[in-house]
Amino acid sequence: MRNGSRRAGAEATALVIFASVGPGLRADRLPLVSQVIDRYVNALGGRAALSKLGPMKLAGPCESSVPDESGPVEILVKTPKVAYNLNGGNLRMGFDGESVWRSAAPEGLQQRKGRQLAELVTVFDPSRALWWKEWYPQMAVTGVRKIDGRDAFVLETFPGSPPTERLFLDRESGLLVRDEVTPQFTFTFSDYRAAEGVTTAFVVQETTPNGISYAYRFESIGPAGMIDESRFQPR
């Protein structure tokens, strides 16, 4: 009973913090990063639901400010691996667990080791919050910012570092609404709906350093079945 009381007290304290946060809240009164992440995981459907997700396929149209990069998109997710295919292969990207890669004419295949830019494709994986703490042990809540008129907690993967990734989680819903993977690459998330027992964003919008924009409007998100592992490899 004493342990249950402690847990209830901690949860009540966390709720008070979430409810009382405002733009002027002092840094020492911000919730713990674990509280914000856990609330996000719960908003998605819970750790158990995310952990048992099998390979998934996200499919639908993509509208780009560059006409040649508009068309149908298919994204395969097998956590943490991702394979992205736009317009029948005109643009391919992926993360194989060790490196992120991109292939498009005329520049050909580009590849970069490490996790720093993996989020450029893993943003489409609803389970990625499960490994944030492992990948980014320094991650912290650094403030509160207005996103479309609503308060959002700001999480930084490398607090205080200029190239840090910044994630914005809505204070009320707990859901991720914006991800600044780098100061130049920004993703926004909306139209959250249930898919395979997990709340998933069906609309994702992206802007890039050179001003190109992409709007992904997924029409289906569901099981992918067996996936050839070569789909995740640089090619």
Side-chain angles (χ1 to χ4, degrees):
M1 288 295 292
R2 286 196 299 270
N3 289 339
S5 298
R6 289 195 192 102
R7 282 196 298 271
E11 290 171 359
T13 300
L15 288 173
V16 169
I17 291 173
F18 278 109
S20 63
V21 166
L25 188 70
R26 298 197 317 269
D28 61 355
R29 292 296 307 277
L30 291 169
L32 299 175
V33 65
S34 59
Q35 292 176 314
V36 178
I37 293 176
D38 288 348
R39 191 162 182 257
Y40 175 42
V41 167
N42 289 334
L44 292 177
R47 191 168 297 273
L50 290 170
S51 297
K52 71 180 183 182
L53 271 181
M56 297 185 69
K57 180 170 76 172
L58 297 78
C62 172
E63 297 176 9
S64 173
S65 57
V66 176
D68 289 346
E69 294 188 356
S70 293
V73 65
E74 178 188 82
I75 301 172
L76 301 176
V77 176
K78 187 178 179 181
T79 302
K81 301 175 184 178
V82 176
Y84 171 112
N85 189 315
L86 175 65
N87 207 8
N90 281 3
L91 173 61
R92 295 193 303 272
M93 297 189 296
F95 178 65
D96 61 7
E98 296 183 358
S99 62
V100 62
W101 53 272
R102 184 181 191 275
S103 179
E107 64 265 27
L109 179 64
Q110 298 174 312
Q111 187 173 355
R112 182 165 179 171
K113 290 280 187 182
R115 297 169 175 168
Q116 184 176 2
L117 295 178
E119 301 281 9
L120 291 174
V121 286
T122 59
V123 294
F124 298 104
D125 182 356
S127 300
R128 67 184 177 126
L130 296 180
W131 19 274
W132 278 348
K133 294 179 187 177
E134 175 189 348
W135 279 24
Y136 310 112
Q138 301 176 53
M139 180 182 274
V141 183
T142 59
V144 177
R145 215 167 93 184
K146 290 283 187 185
I147 301 294
D148 293 330
R150 296 169 62 89
D151 285 344
F153 290 112
V154 184
L155 276 61
E156 294 188 1
T157 53
F158 300 99
S161 174
T164 186
E165 179 179 0
R166 291 183 177 87
L167 302 120
F168 301 82
L169 290 95
D170 186 272
R171 188 184 75 176
E172 291 187 20
S173 69
L175 293 169
L176 179 69
V177 291
R178 182 182 176 94
D179 186 345
E180 295 175 358
V181 176
T182 72
Q184 293 83 29
F185 281 97
T186 299
F187 293 82
T188 60
F189 307 86
S190 59
D191 192 16
Y192 276 94
R193 290 184 255 157
E196 297 304 303
V198 173
T199 302
T200 306
F202 274 69
V203 175
V204 179
Q205 294 178 291
E206 174 188 3
T207 57
T208 70
N210 52 9
I212 298 175
S213 64
Y214 301 88
Y216 305 94
R217 303 183 189 280
F218 299 114
E219 296 175 342
S220 65
I221 298 178
M226 295 293 292
I227 302 177
D228 185 340
E229 287 293 316
S230 66
R231 296 288 300 272
F232 302 108
Q233 301 303 315
R235 57 197 179 94

